[in-house]
Amino acid sequence: MRSYVLKYVIFVIFGICLGILIPLVFVFLDLKELGLPLDFNNAHEVARSQLIYPFSFIVFPFIFGVTSFLFGVLQNEKDRSKKYGEYVTAVLNGITDPVLVYSQSGKIIDSNSGFKNLFAHEHIKNINEIQAGLLETLEEKNLIEELCLDVGEEGQRCFTIKRSPLLHGDSRYVLAFTDITHIKQQQTIIEEQKAKLHDAARLSALGEMASGFAHEINNPLMIISGQVTMMERLLKKETFDSQKFLEKIGIVFKTIDRVSRIIQALRNLARTTDSLNLENYTIAEVVEDISSLSKMKISGRDIDLSFNLGGLDSKVITCDLIQLGQVFVNLINNAVDAIEELPGSWIRFEVQEVKHYFIFSVTDSGTGVPEQIAKKVFEPMFTTKPIGKGTGLGLSLSRSIIEKHNGRLELDLKSKNTRFFVVLPKYVSGNLSK
């Protein structure tokens, strides 16, 4: 600040001196013209004899002093502008992400070192050379959330691009790139890890059903064995009763079909699938596999499990049957683990229809989930089960699957018993079913 004041004082003194010097020059010229000696007394007499000189000695120093002051102000502002420009350039070049200024026509006016380094192998003069149609896209919206570009040896890099006017009402725009390549890579890794964790949770559920599976398969096999023995006896009789024989065969085939459904349900639970395979199914088809698998889980436990479809058996829903089955099996498995030690335990699986949605609920005889736990139940890796029994992944992955179906998985905090419900839109062939 002191240097600026000193500079202004110097400019003003210089202007005043110049303003005094000019009238003096004219006085000395008059003395020379009159042939008088060049001394102070003669100069004083000449200056007094003409009114213009006293006036000049006042006006000229004032004019030149003010002019010099204004010149100093302009020079100072010029220096400050230059330094500010250097400061802005240094700041922009310190930003590793690309930043550029372009005109309304798309011509690149200026850019920072981040942009020049990114496209060092190219001579880009218009933003449409970055990607075809980029100018037109920016005219429609000021933010592009993801734009992936091939940038030579570095391969593909992804950016979020934001446009803003350089100045209010200006036709020039600032284009700021934010590199999200690392974030995209991390998201890919996270999705891969989630898929692996999903598989782990599914296999954990299968492991918990192992003893129940043996029981569920053993019963039908005993039925088949008994029916085959009876068929053998019928064949040994002197009078062959074909009607009874056919009845036994029917029972055998029916039992084989039951075993087949149990095995298919297990295969569906174990199947790995990332993307949704949406098809139309009846509510009865959705519940069929769940029923078989759930009976394995409660095998040997004193738990009453019931399914109430509310007369909606033939109603159609568009879903991924396998992934949706995994969600419902997980909810029922959690219910079994929570209430298996309670007397008079029960689980109710119910379906309701509300306008364009189906509401599936799993309610058990438990007294609800404590508030502190309720806040965390959908968080990955959170579990209240003993070590080695729960992965803490089931509910978070189940919610992810339901959200892919544009639905919701929630814990009913108002229910006096523990109740989870799933709300799913009933889309059929791309339209809401009536």
Side-chain angles (χ1 to χ4, degrees), residues 29-289:
L29 288 174
D30 284 347
L31 287 173
K32 187 175 180 181
E33 187 176 341
L34 294 171
L36 297 173
L38 298 177
D39 58 33
F40 178 78
N41 290 329
N42 290 332
H44 184 259
E45 289 298 325
V46 171
R48 287 179 60 189
S49 64
Q50 299 184 42
L51 292 176
I52 186 68
Y53 285 120
F55 180 77
S56 298
F57 277 112
I58 295 172
V59 174
F60 274 107
F62 177 77
I63 292 174
F64 278 94
V66 170
T67 303
S68 298
F69 175 77
L70 293 176
F71 179 78
V73 170
L74 291 173
Q75 186 65 36
N76 183 53
E77 289 302 314
K78 183 178 178 181
D79 291 343
R80 288 177 64 182
S81 275
K82 182 179 178 182
K83 288 181 179 179
Y84 184 73
E86 291 172 351
Y87 169 76
V88 171
T89 300
V91 169
L92 290 176
N93 286 332
I95 299 172
T96 55
D97 286 336
V99 179
L100 62 87
V101 178
Y102 73 95
S103 66
Q104 200 166 14
S105 64
K107 180 182 177 182
I108 295 176
I109 300 170
D110 199 5
S111 61
N112 72 339
S113 58
F115 179 82
K116 291 168 184 173
N117 292 336
L118 182 66
F119 297 101
H121 61 292
E122 301 176 24
H123 300 286
I124 296 178
K125 296 181 179 180
N126 191 289
I127 65 170
N128 275 338
E129 295 176 29
I130 299 173
Q131 187 182 69
L134 181 57
L135 178 62
E136 290 73 17
T137 303
L138 289 167
E139 290 296 326
E140 296 175 4
K141 53 183 180 180
N142 291 326
L143 179 66
I144 300 176
E145 294 184 354
E146 184 179 325
L147 179 69
C148 295
L149 305 170
D150 291 319
V151 287
E153 295 180 358
E154 294 189 36
Q156 192 178 72
R157 288 174 65 181
C158 297
F159 301 90
T160 293
I161 301 178
K162 184 177 182 180
R163 182 187 80 155
S164 55
L166 182 62
L167 298 170
H168 181 69
D170 200 339
S171 60
R172 295 169 297 174
Y173 296 92
V174 177
L175 207 60
F177 295 66
T178 303
D179 196 337
I180 58 171
T181 306
H182 182 67
I183 296 174
K184 291 284 292 179
Q185 291 171 345
Q186 292 301 314
Q187 286 176 341
T188 301
I189 293 172
I190 290 170
E191 289 302 319
E192 290 174 352
Q193 292 300 321
K194 281 177 67 177
K196 291 178 181 178
L197 292 173
H198 192 175
D199 292 342
R202 189 167 56 248
L203 293 174
S204 174
L206 280 172
E208 291 177 17
M209 292 179 182
S211 60
F213 173 70
H215 178 76
E216 284 296 308
I217 294 295
N218 187 55
N219 284 347
L221 289 177
M222 288 178 66
I223 292 172
I224 292 171
S225 177
Q227 295 300 317
V228 170
T229 300
M230 293 174 70
M231 290 165 64
E232 185 180 17
R233 290 174 183 171
L234 287 172
L235 288 172
K236 291 180 178 179
K237 287 184 177 181
E238 294 181 3
T239 56
F240 178 68
D241 190 338
S242 60
Q243 184 63 35
K244 281 188 177 182
F245 191 84
L246 290 173
E247 287 177 5
K248 303 303 178 187
I249 290 178
I251 293 172
V252 169
F253 278 119
K254 188 176 179 180
T255 308
I256 290 172
D257 183 58
R258 178 186 169 191
V259 173
S260 177
R261 287 199 306 272
I262 292 170
I263 293 172
Q264 184 59 45
L266 279 170
R267 290 180 62 190
N268 287 343
L269 183 63
R271 189 176 301 174
T272 301
T273 175
D274 296 324
S275 59
L276 288 181
N277 181 23
L278 297 177
E279 293 185 22
N280 296 336
Y281 299 96
T282 64
I283 297 297
E285 288 174 324
V286 172
V287 175
E288 184 178 1
D289 283 358

Side-chain angles (χ1 to χ4, degrees), residues 298 301-305 332-348 363-368 417-418:
I298 66 172
R301 295 176 172 91
D302 186 19
I303 298 175
D304 177 29
L305 173 63
I332 293 173
N333 284 351
N334 286 347
V336 171
D337 291 337
I339 65 171
E340 61 181 338
E341 302 297 333
L342 300 178
S345 300
W346 53 263
I347 299 172
R348 305 282 182 266
T363 310
D364 64 53
S365 55
T367 56
N417 297 110
T418 307

